[in-house]
Amino acid sequence: MSGHSPPIVDYLRGRQAAPQPWLPLIGRLAATINQLPTEIFLSNATQQTNAIQSAYRLFEPDAVCTGIDTTLVAEALGAGVEWDEATDSFTVVQPVESSTDVADPTTAQERGRLPVVTDVGERLATNLDEPAIVGVVPGPLTTLETAFGEDAALEDEWTKPVRTAVGELGREFGKADVDVILVYEDVDQLAGETESDDAATVTVDTLEMLDNITSFYNTPLLVAPNGYAEGTIDTVLEAADPAGVLLDTDAPGETAERYSDVRVGGGITAALLDENPDDIRSAVADRYDALPKSVFLASGREIPPDSHPTKLQAVNDGRQRSDE
């Protein structure tokens, strides 16, 4: 780990209820702040590390995360990935057409840009003393969708290599001494299937496998279930029992009652960041005062890369005003 047990780790493990941390998922915004092309940020370990460290000094969150890229594992499994200027992101242009064409998932951590993010995790753990270091792993349903496109199916021949590759990335993050692992989902094409028992089973199986890995490395496991049906989230949290969940909601406290054994993060949304800084400070101060101790300020999705830094600083100002 980063040389100690950061407060957010103790919080996620239920060892302390205060102070409640704040965890904005700052990915491509770090590149924007540093006037760094996003393609380079997501492809170069040195540039990504420097940008994340710079963003940490600006915002002082309780944790920083490695670059968020939902195509990472898909690329390592053999999908063709190219940079898309229009979306400012890597995009799968050639999904894997057959389950027999999937690249060896047991060595996925050696291919594509997976070595970049694990290198970033290791560098951050070495260079930053205060914040927790969060290694971001693309979720199983997101990876099924990006790797296999229209052929994606919730069947073992497709889900097993995804689960294995995701696990290998989690293991590499453990070796890199990150403090927390976050499973980040952003499901679109499969969204209609996330209400099925199969979707819950695929997710639970993957999280349980990762939990075995994180238990070995003593790192809490978080999940951001973007695109999941509400019932599936309930099933996953009950069965897989992660340390915490990040929800894209302005009212995380209202949902926390359903998740009594899980730390719930939320409250930092694109809608909040659309407000002016003074309104953000006031809203966050009120929101923070009303949060149960099991709920903390976080973003359930990556902070929009075009967000003005003063907006995110206002979130922290509002939190600190509430603490005074």
Side-chain angles (χ1 to χ4, degrees):
M1 292 187 182
S2 50
H4 64 299
S5 180
I8 189 174
V9 172
D10 290 333
Y11 176 86
L12 291 172
R13 293 202 178 284
R15 296 173 183 153
Q16 64 183 47
Q20 291 156 281
W22 85 296
L23 173 54
L25 298 180
I26 303 170
R28 291 174 296 166
L29 176 60
T32 301
I33 292 169
N34 287 273
Q35 299 182 327
L36 178 68
T38 310
E39 182 180 5
I40 295 175
F41 172 79
L42 293 174
S43 304
N44 184 288
T46 299
Q47 297 283 10
Q48 186 175 139
T49 301
N50 291 342
I52 292 170
Q53 290 180 136
S54 178
Y56 167 70
R57 289 191 291 269
L58 180 62
F59 300 120
E60 298 184 333
D62 291 295
V64 296
C65 64
T66 58
I68 299 172
D69 184 346
T70 55
T71 67
L72 283 173
V73 177
E75 180 185 32
L77 288 174
V81 174
E82 292 182 358
W83 180 253
D84 187 338
E85 294 285 352
T87 62
D88 201 32
S89 63
F90 284 101
T91 303
V92 172
V93 294
Q94 182 58 56
V96 180
E97 296 182 353
S98 168
S99 59
T100 60
D101 295 331
V102 178
D104 182 0
T106 65
T107 57
Q109 73 279 8
E110 302 172 2
R111 293 191 295 274
R113 284 164 291 118
L114 291 190
V116 171
V117 291
T118 54
D119 188 7
V120 170
E122 184 172 12
R123 294 185 189 207
L124 291 173
T126 301
N127 296 336
L128 292 178
D129 293 328
E130 295 300 324
I133 311 304
V134 181
V136 181
V137 177
L141 298 187
T142 297
T143 300
L144 277 167
E145 177 177 296
T146 53
F148 308 125
E150 294 180 357
D151 291 326
L154 301 173
E155 299 171 0
D156 194 56
E157 65 175 319
W158 302 99
T159 61
K160 185 176 180 180
V162 167
R163 184 167 61 250
T164 300
V166 167
E168 290 304 318
L169 177 54
R171 198 183 314 277
E172 288 302 302
F173 273 132
K175 294 177 184 177
D177 284 339
V178 302
D179 299 291
V180 180
I181 289 180
L182 167 64
V183 178
Y184 187 89
E185 293 276 33
D186 192 3
V187 186
D188 181 17
Q189 177 178 304
L190 288 173
E193 296 189 42
T194 64
E195 295 186 40
S196 71
D197 291 339
D198 288 341
T201 298
V202 168
T203 306
V204 169
D205 287 348
T206 304
L207 292 180
E208 288 180 339
M209 177 270 302
L210 278 172
D211 186 59
N212 289 332
I213 294 170
T214 57
S215 294
F216 178 81
Y217 290 103
N218 197 31
T219 54
L221 182 63
L222 291 174
V223 59
N226 295 305
Y228 280 32
E230 186 173 289
T232 302
I233 296 176
D234 291 339
T235 300
V236 167
L237 295 184
E238 181 177 347
D241 194 29
V245 59
L246 303 184
L247 299 174
D248 187 28
T249 174
D250 282 301
E254 293 179 4
T255 61
E257 294 182 4
R258 300 203 307 272
Y259 314 132
S260 57
D261 296 327
V262 179
R263 298 295 198 188
V264 177
I268 306 175
T269 62
L272 175 71
L273 297 178
D274 278 342
E275 304 292 335
N276 67 63
D278 286 340
D279 288 342
I280 291 173
R281 292 185 191 95
S282 297
V284 169
D286 292 342
R287 188 170 296 177
Y288 193 70
D289 284 337
L291 291 181
K293 294 300 183 182
S294 64
V295 181
F296 61 104
L297 281 174
S299 59
R301 291 183 179 273
E302 180 181 8
I303 298 293
D306 58 352
S307 300
H308 197 281
T310 57
K311 303 292 189 75
L312 206 53
Q313 288 172 319
V315 175
N316 195 27
D317 290 343
R319 182 181 69 99
Q320 292 177 336
R321 177 190 300 176
S322 179
D323 283 335
E324 293 174 353

